[in-house]
Amino acid sequence: MSSAATTVPQSAPEPASAAPGVAQGAGPDARQSAGQGAAEASAAPAGITAGPEPETGTAAAGAAGPSGGVPASRKPAADYADYPLVPAPRPWRWVGTAVVALGVAAVAWSLATNPRWEWGVVAQWFTAQSVINGLVETLKLTAISGVLGFVLGFILALMRLSSSPLLLSVSWTFSWIFRSTPLLVQMLLWYNLGYLYEKISLGIPFTDVRFFEVQTTTLISQFAAAVLGLTLNQAAYSAEIIRGGILSVDQGQLEAAAALGIPAWRRSTRIVLPQAMRAILPNAFNEIIGLVKGTSIVYVLAYSELFYTVQVIYNRTQQVLPLLLVATLWYVVITSVLSVFQYYIERHYSKGAVRTLPLTPLQKARKFFATHAPVRSLR
């Protein structure tokens, strides 16, 4: 007798009860939101309870602040437009300025009130024809000796940088001799060269062939001796200045130019010298200014330059100090003009070394008055 299994039908699982607080008659949207809340609650780890619900109504509005996005505890930014700009106190600068101002005022008062300066005599001789002629001779000596001295100094500098032992030795010996002897001694030596050599001739050495011959006393006049002494002395110092300027250029630039196939002459004139001028110019202008004042030594040769002319005048009039002041003022004028040229030439050659060019005196004056104007508010 066979038995057959009787299948007992199982009832379908009952639907989950609605979330607490949801009415039986609630719509599907309410039930869906309640189900999502229950799922989030069941997904939370054990031991962690949900925090308090955010406040609503007036409490939330008060936390948000009157503007809705800025908390009420944060204060608005202060307005500094009404605050005056007050410079930092620097009492010692004012003390130093006052002391220097008193010293300058005392010197100016002494120059203006001391009758022994004899400013009337100074004004009388300052533009006298004899003084102007002496000034012209001083400028002539400065220009000729300066140009020839720097040209010869440039040649000597190249000889000093040469790989030839003979050229290097001759250049070094020249600079050593003329930098080691006083300029006054050199002047007197050249003027008395006729005592050593009666005639000066040009021809083939070690033969009797002569192309040119002249008496030394005829050739070496007062002017020639002055130019010769000033030129050779200036060349010795110029050679060292130019050599130092050339050596100040980075060696890597020469190597890079050579690697690019630039000829040696163009490397020297277009790469080395423009950069070396920044180091050469300040010392070169100092030498020229020194040369202007160095022409006063020519008075030992009785050459009628500025200082000798002034000496002749005060030996005749016995007005020593006023005439010396005349010469001093003219030297100040010459050196001041040279200083102005020096400033602008150095400013031109500094273009490759600085991002912004230094201010000119006029620009500095404008900046000074702009920064020291009366303090105003920002409005």
Side-chain angles (χ1 to χ4, degrees):
M1 179 173 174
S2 61
S3 60
T6 304
T7 305
V8 179
Q10 297 180 357
S11 61
E14 297 180 0
S17 59
V22 180
Q24 293 291 334
D29 295 338
R31 291 180 180 180
Q32 183 178 1
S33 61
Q36 291 177 356
E40 292 176 358
S42 63
I48 301 177
T49 59
E53 296 181 358
E55 300 178 358
T56 58
T58 59
S67 61
V70 181
S73 59
R74 182 180 299 175
K75 297 180 180 180
D79 186 9
Y80 294 100
D82 295 332
Y83 284 64
L85 298 177
V86 179
R90 296 182 175 88
W92 290 111
R93 180 174 23 171
W94 288 107
V95 171
T97 302
V99 172
V100 173
L102 288 175
V104 172
V107 173
W109 178 260
S110 174
L111 292 175
T113 58
N114 190 347
R116 295 186 180 181
W117 286 106
E118 300 184 60
W119 291 107
V121 179
V122 173
Q124 174 187 354
W125 289 103
F126 188 74
T127 56
Q129 187 61 42
S130 57
V131 174
I132 297 300
N133 293 338
L135 176 65
V136 171
E137 296 300 321
T138 295
L139 295 177
K140 187 191 301 183
L141 287 174
T142 302
I144 297 174
S145 302
V147 172
L148 295 179
F150 275 95
V151 170
L152 183 57
F154 179 73
I155 297 173
L156 291 171
L158 297 181
M159 292 172 60
R160 185 74 180 274
L161 297 173
S162 174
S163 57
S164 171
L166 178 61
L167 296 179
L168 191 150
S169 301
V170 170
S171 175
W172 182 87
T173 304
F174 181 93
S175 298
W176 171 58
I177 292 175
F178 283 93
R179 292 169 63 192
S180 301
T181 54
L183 180 58
L184 180 61
V185 175
Q186 297 177 31
M187 290 282 187
L188 295 175
L189 179 63
W190 293 118
Y191 188 64
N192 294 281
L193 189 62
Y195 178 79
L196 298 175
Y197 302 97
E198 183 179 354
K199 295 181 180 180
I200 296 178
S201 59
L202 178 64
I204 300 176
F206 310 112
T207 64
D208 295 333
V209 179
R210 298 290 184 271
F211 304 116
F212 174 80
E213 189 175 62
V214 66
Q215 291 287 335
T216 305
T217 54
T218 304
L219 182 63
I220 305 298
S221 62
Q222 298 167 329
F223 179 77
V227 170
L228 194 59
L230 293 172
T231 298
L232 297 179
N233 184 77
Q234 186 61 50
Y237 288 94
S238 301
E240 295 301 310
I241 293 173
I242 296 172
R243 183 178 69 90
I246 294 175
L247 292 177
S248 67
V249 180
D250 188 11
Q251 188 68 21
Q253 303 213 17
L254 290 174
E255 296 173 355
L260 293 174
I262 300 177
W265 176 253
R266 289 183 63 84
R267 290 201 301 266
S268 300
T269 57
R270 305 292 295 178
I271 296 176
V272 177
L273 285 180
Q275 298 182 73
M277 291 297 287
R278 291 197 294 266
I280 293 173
L281 280 175
N283 296 325
F285 267 98
N286 288 337
E287 286 295 318
I288 294 175
I289 290 174
L291 182 61
V292 172
K293 297 178 290 184
T295 56
S296 60
I297 299 180
V298 181
Y299 83 94
V300 299
L301 306 180
Y303 184 74
S304 299
E305 45 81 39
L306 178 61
F307 186 65
Y308 180 79
T309 302
V310 167
Q311 277 187 317
V312 171
I313 296 173
Y314 73 61
N315 285 333
R316 186 176 71 248
T317 62
Q318 299 301 313
Q319 296 169 327
V320 179
L321 288 178
L323 269 300
L324 289 177
L325 191 57
V326 169
T328 301
L329 292 177
W330 273 120
Y331 284 125
V332 169
V333 170
I334 297 172
T335 55
S336 300
V337 173
L338 290 176
S339 299
V340 172
F341 280 104
Q342 176 184 1
Y343 176 82
Y344 282 98
I345 294 176
E346 288 180 5
R347 186 174 183 271
H348 171 75
Y349 280 100
S350 64
K351 291 180 179 179
V354 294
R355 295 183 182 274
T356 57
L357 293 177
L359 299 178
T360 63
L362 182 59
Q363 292 171 342
K364 289 180 180 179
R366 291 176 178 174
K367 183 179 179 180
F368 176 82
F369 288 113
T371 55
H372 290 76
V375 178
R376 299 176 182 176
S377 62
L378 297 178
R379 284 185 175 179

